Amino acid sequence: MRAQRATILMPDKGSVCNAVCTAPVTVCATPSMFAKLFSMAGPRGYSAAVLALAAAVASPGALAARPMMEQVPTQLLPLANRRVMLTGHRSSVAPRLGARLAERGARPLFMPTVSLEPLAETAYAPLDEALLRLPDYDVVCLPSADAVRALYDRTAALLGFNRQMISGMLAGVRLATLGNNAYLVKDLLGVSASVVPPESSLSGMANALEALGLARSGAKVLVLLPAYTGMAEPPSVTRFVAQLEATGATIVRVAVCIAAPTPLESAHVEIGLLLAGQVDALVFTSGSEVEGLYQLLCAAKAAAERGAPERAFEATQATEAPSVQGQAITALEWSLLLPGHPLAIASYGADAMLSADVWGVEQAVVSPLGVIEELVQGLEKQLASGGGLIF
């Protein structure tokens, strides 16, 4: 092909090469992308790589109108065709993280390992009673999106879904939440969260409340959390409540939903891909997801031993998987459940990291503060270097 010119720019090094192309093109590439282009070049060097890239991009003028990643062929993206399994619920950060991974060429697979279901109507009585006494609390903790939605749903039902009355009722109440849930608080409740700690974790919330004097001797703290059924309470939740209680504050814990391990019937396709070695990376986004995965794998193993994989969902997970409380699950046990191929396991946030550590999971990539870009770049480097940990 005959052409004018193309330039590859790298953010940290500037222009690194020029080559013949069919149209004036400028492409901004990450280091991992450039390494991939270079590996494609062969004996013809950079020019062949640039020509291969230029041949696949849009016509002249189209590049300026679209985001940079959309201008690059999928096969040249850092995570091209990598299957990344996310174990978070739809109300977690998993959908946003999956979208970012897809932009980098990955194929996200969503397999929530914990299901979140509403309480029975009669079980909302403690929450309804707490809402009538909101002024009695120094702070109300809303650690998750489900807690925010539950507060909105019950308050709205109480006040006839009058948005003005809802925001008026909550105007004098200090609300503490994590990360992007602050936007949900504003959108649904019509008020701003008073406490949003820089570290988006339960320990970060406890530290912030203690530093602000909202968790102290004589204070009263309302905490809205799931009720865990068929599984242990995540270590991060146990430590969060204990840390608040250690300040001398009175902690009132109220259930807003039911958290239970996802039945194998709902995840047998995804578990099949994982066990067949068709998944390159797996990402935990909260503390409960680790045990949820463990129980799914135990159920799948039990079903396979019975010789009835097509009826794997009949496994009784709650009795087949041991509780994490009182014992440490070893890496050896995971090696018996996971496939013997490279699998990069990543944890988003301190809560997921803590659970993975307690459950004996070796993590290849971590983002303690819960930064999406940090996790994505970590996966890019890990997978580019040869995959992940071999179980």
Side-chain angles (χ1 to χ4, degrees):
M1 52 194 290
R2 302 298 301 173
Q4 299 173 359
R5 179 185 175 192
T7 303
I8 289 185
L9 296 178
M10 293 190 54
D12 55 340
K13 296 182 181 178
S15 176
V16 295
C17 69
N18 293 297
V20 176
C21 186
T22 54
V25 176
T26 298
V27 177
C28 181
T30 65
S32 56
M33 286 173 59
F34 188 78
K36 189 161 188 175
L37 284 173
F38 180 72
S39 67
M40 293 176 58
R44 296 175 60 191
Y46 291 117
S47 296
V50 176
L51 286 169
L53 177 62
V57 297
S59 58
L63 291 173
R66 295 184 295 168
M68 192 59 67
M69 286 298 99
E70 294 183 11
Q71 302 158 14
V72 181
T74 299
Q75 65 269 25
L76 299 182
L77 292 173
L79 293 173
N81 300 321
R82 295 285 197 173
R83 289 190 177 94
V84 181
M85 182 171 285
L86 298 106
T87 59
H89 190 261
R90 66 178 184 274
S91 62
S92 72
V93 72
R96 288 191 294 117
L97 179 55
R100 183 62 182 137
L101 289 167
E103 289 176 1
R104 309 296 288 177
R107 297 181 180 181
L109 298 173
F110 295 94
M111 184 188 70
T113 59
V114 175
S115 62
L116 299 175
E117 303 296 338
L119 301 171
E121 184 62 29
T122 55
Y124 281 110
L127 177 57
D128 293 340
E129 182 178 349
L131 294 180
L132 296 175
R133 299 178 181 275
L134 285 180
D136 295 346
Y137 296 98
D138 291 85
V139 63
V140 178
C141 297
L142 308 171
S144 66
D146 298 282
V148 177
R149 291 191 177 96
L151 180 60
Y152 169 76
D153 289 342
R154 303 310 294 183
T155 305
L158 181 66
L159 301 176
F161 294 89
N162 186 310
R163 186 175 176 81
Q164 255 187 332
M165 292 181 67
I166 294 172
S167 57
M169 178 180 178
L170 298 173
V173 179
R174 295 189 187 93
L175 303 177
T177 193
L178 298 175
N180 282 345
N181 292 331
Y183 297 109
L184 191 61
V185 168
K186 184 66 175 177
D187 291 342
L188 287 182
L189 305 177
V191 296
S192 298
S194 304
V195 181
V196 184
E199 180 187 333
S200 185
S201 68
L202 289 173
S203 60
M205 178 179 285
N207 292 336
L209 295 180
E210 189 172 1
L212 294 170
L214 296 175
R216 65 188 189 283
S217 179
K220 197 171 182 181
V221 180
L222 176 63
V223 181
L224 306 187
L225 291 167
Y228 295 93
T229 302
M231 64 187 304
E233 180 177 88
S236 56
V237 173
T238 303
R239 295 188 185 187
F240 171 63
V241 175
Q243 186 176 348
L244 292 179
E245 290 176 338
T247 66
T250 300
I251 310 303
V252 178
R253 179 173 173 173
V254 176
V256 294
C257 63
I258 296 174
T262 297
L264 195 56
E265 179 184 18
S266 302
H268 69 278
V269 173
E270 292 82 0
I271 285 291
L273 289 172
L274 182 62
L275 295 178
Q278 299 300 308
V279 176
D280 299 291
L282 185 143
V283 182
F284 297 120
T285 61
S286 72
S288 58
E289 297 166 26
V290 184
E291 183 180 353
L293 175 65
Y294 187 84
Q295 294 212 27
L296 278 171
L297 291 172
C298 284
K301 183 174 184 291
E305 290 173 350
R306 290 197 303 270
E310 72 280 1
R311 292 179 10 223
F313 60 87
E314 294 180 7
T316 306
Q317 296 158 291
T319 60
E320 290 171 350
S323 169
V324 70
Q325 292 184 341
Q327 66 175 354
I329 306 300
T330 66
L332 177 61
E333 289 179 80
W334 285 97
S335 69
L336 298 175
L337 297 172
L338 286 168
H341 76 101
L343 178 68
I345 296 183
S347 291
Y348 173 92
D351 296 337
M353 285 177 57
L354 175 60
S355 284
D357 286 339
V358 170
W359 278 84
V361 178
E362 294 187 59
Q363 302 159 82
V365 179
V366 296
S367 176
L369 297 180
V371 180
I372 287 180
E373 198 60 31
E374 179 184 29
L375 189 100
V376 171
Q377 290 179 4
L379 283 174
E380 290 176 5
K381 293 178 181 178
Q382 183 65 32
L383 294 175
S385 66
L389 305 170
I390 298 179
F391 288 88

